[in-house]
Amino acid sequence: MAHDPLLTYRTLVTHFTDFLTVAIHTILHERNIYPRTSFLSARKYNYAVRQSRHPKVCEWINDAIAAVETELLKSAVDRVAVVIYTKDLKPTERYMFDVSRFPAVDPTDLDTRLERRGENGDPVPIVPLADMDEQFRATMGKLTGCRGVLKPLPEGCTFTVAIELKSEGQPPVGHPQPWMPVQPELSETSGEKHTRNTVHPVRAVAAGELVFESWIEQAVDAT
Amino acid sequence: MAQDYTEWLAINVLNEQQLVSYRSLSRALKIHSNLAKQMLYDFHRKQNTKKPRAVHATYLITGTKRKEIPNDGTHSQREGDDTVMQSSPPLPSSSAPKPDEHDEEPIAVQTVMLVKEENVLQAKAKFESITGTHIYSLQAKGLGDLQTLTECNRKIAADYASEDPLEVWKQYGTIQNPKVKRRTQRRQPPPPRAPMVKEAVAKATPAAPTTKPTTLKKESSKDSQDSKLASKPSSAKATPEPAKKPPTTKRQGSDIFKSFAKGKSKAKAAQESQESAGSTPKTAPEDEPMASFSDEDDADEGDVDVVEDVPKVVDGKSKKEREAELQAMMEHEDEVMADAAEVASEQAEGDVNEGAIDKPESQAAEEPKETVQVENGRRRGRRRVMKKKTVKDEDGYLITKEEAAWESFSEYEPAPKKIKVPPTTSMNKSTTAAAGKKGAKPGQGNIMSFFSKK
């Protein structure tokens, strides 16, 4: 894994996007979005994970992750969500990854070494990223175990990836446009829906500078 | 002791919601595996009587499976998500439909099946006779994917790696072969040869998919390449040994990558030097790889095949520079370089007699490098200068070698030392402007001084 001297914001984002890719494949497998037989067993972070074999699925996921990475590199992302929709396009579940605690880095500093300084300006030793693998493993374990926790999904569900941006950034519009602006539906900002969600915590990962939380929101009134 | 395991299991299975297999329990409590299995069963039963479906279990069933139609097997497998591990090939009846099945002897197949508790009855129905059943693991919530159970074993291997299995097998009840003996490795691993390693690293990092030929062979190939390439721009020379060509063609591909590693400054420098002088003067037989790179820059003009991997290879350039620096320092210790030195020195000797044009130019070129910078009136600290020297081989090959030489200047406007070169020579050299242009700043200074005189 990464060695501390080479830790830059870009490597941090790369670790996170790798993890996100595996997480999306796992979610697809667990929630039966695609038939389980279309997944093969793979190994990541020294852990057994499932990876989809369908080329279009993989391609879509890779493109989505690339778009998320672009936004992450601008330090504009508040949260990343993998949303599961029913056949009627009603969101039933959201797998949230709160990345607001990522360091906010200038675009010019993407490849400079990250160093944490204490209150008085002295450099604080960084927590080694060695146990980042372990934390990812734990998160994977939790994600795979979600099948027993969540209600089974109805037939014909689909999924997508959404990001919630920080308020001070610019929306990613322009040509070509990878993101589609949508109304906040299951998000916490819409007050009335808030009480209808059940939240299952997954994991708060803190590996050096890579700090994010993850949880699962499930719409209670999903039919 | 009896209460310990209940507490331990309560903490780990219910509170922390971990996956606990009988093996993890036996390692954690230092008990025999069979005892651990019984504890798991007991805990499972108790918790479920208190609160149904509080704890889920996976079972391991061992036995002989019933002879079944293949459809059945696959169907139930998908349903129950079972992992069927068979210790011998499938039953003959399921493979080829033979009319006289009764003639074949059924091969006894022992099946070990890992099932989730909800599928146990179904799985048991598949067995003709069951030799053993026990709980494999417990978890608080339903198990998603059976393969997550591998995590338990990985954790055991990680946490208890310090325990010697030959000692603790009795305690844990691991299956043991009484005739097994530990083999002691008497021989120490060979100490890594640092120079070789660095050479290999430098060559590998330009991201070319090189197989790892010996460094010697590479250099010999580069020799031939140098001669071949150098002969191209300067008028026709004897063709290089055809014997060396075939093995080098493949490496030439990778070397062309490395030529990009030299960086664009080098490429420009090499090109212009080519046009003007036909040879760029350098020294250092030790630095053959560097030399070959510069030559292959020239080759790139001709070949124009490879346009890939430039960014990766640019990194290799900086590494190569560092590499060259280290090599220059380690020239005495490096065997490989010594061989190359021998080869190069032979060539140098041959050169003295023949390459008359090249030699004085080379010497002239070395010094004006320094003077040119002086004329600019700039201050220079220590810097490393790349010098090229073209020498002619006995066989008429032009071999350009490049050396990184350290020069330290602490000069103000008038240079205190190295003014031994008369201004005429410097004029001479500014015509071959590209030589100085090699290092970026010195090169620019060179040209600027040329113009300023006018």
Side-chain angles (χ1 to χ4, degrees), chain A residues 26-32 36 143-147, chain B residues 144-145:
Chain A
T26 311
I27 292 169
L28 294 180
H29 172 80
E30 288 299 311
R31 304 309 281 149
N32 241 340
R36 296 228 167 95
L143 277 178
T144 49
C146 73
R147 199 199 297 188
Chain B
D145 211 345

Side-chain angles (χ1 to χ4, degrees), chain A residues 29-30 37 41 46-50 137 144-145 147-149, chain B residues 16-17 78 81 116 141-145 147-148 150-151 154:
Chain A
H29 172 80
E30 288 299 311
T37 45
S41 291
N46 231 347
Y47 188 78
V49 293
R50 295 285 184 170
R137 265 203 301 274
T144 49
R147 199 199 297 188
V149 176
Chain B
E16 294 193 18
Q17 307 204 339
R78 218 180 302 139
D81 216 341
K116 291 187 233 172
K141 311 214 176 115
L143 187 64
D145 211 345
Q147 65 180 9
T148 49
T150 55
E151 173 66 14
R154 189 209 62 84

Side-chain angles (χ1 to χ4, degrees), chain A residues 2-4 7 125-133 135 206-209:
Chain A
H3 310 290
D4 291 318
L7 179 65
I126 300 179
V127 172
L129 289 180
D131 64 340
M132 185 175 73
D133 270 9
Q135 305 218 22
E209 296 306 318

Side-chain angles (χ1 to χ4, degrees), chain B residues 38-55:
Chain B
Q38 290 168 8
M39 288 179 180
L40 285 182
Y41 175 71
D42 188 47
F43 185 79
H44 179 251
R45 201 164 41 95
K46 279 196 193 140
Q47 293 300 318
N48 281 354
T49 45
K50 278 191 218 170
K51 181 179 160 196
R53 305 184 59 79
V55 177

Side-chain angles (χ1 to χ4, degrees), chain B residues 344-382:
Chain B
S345 60
E346 287 171 4
Q347 294 159 351
E349 285 169 46
D351 173 47
V352 170
N353 301 327
E354 300 174 20
I357 304 170
D358 299 335
K359 266 279 184 171
E361 269 193 6
S362 71
Q363 282 175 356
E366 285 177 12
E367 289 151 23
K369 241 203 172 100
E370 303 132 22
T371 54
V372 163
Q373 290 149 9
V374 170
E375 283 168 17
N376 289 339
R378 295 197 188 140
R379 298 182 187 190
R380 294 265 179 254
R382 226 182 258 163

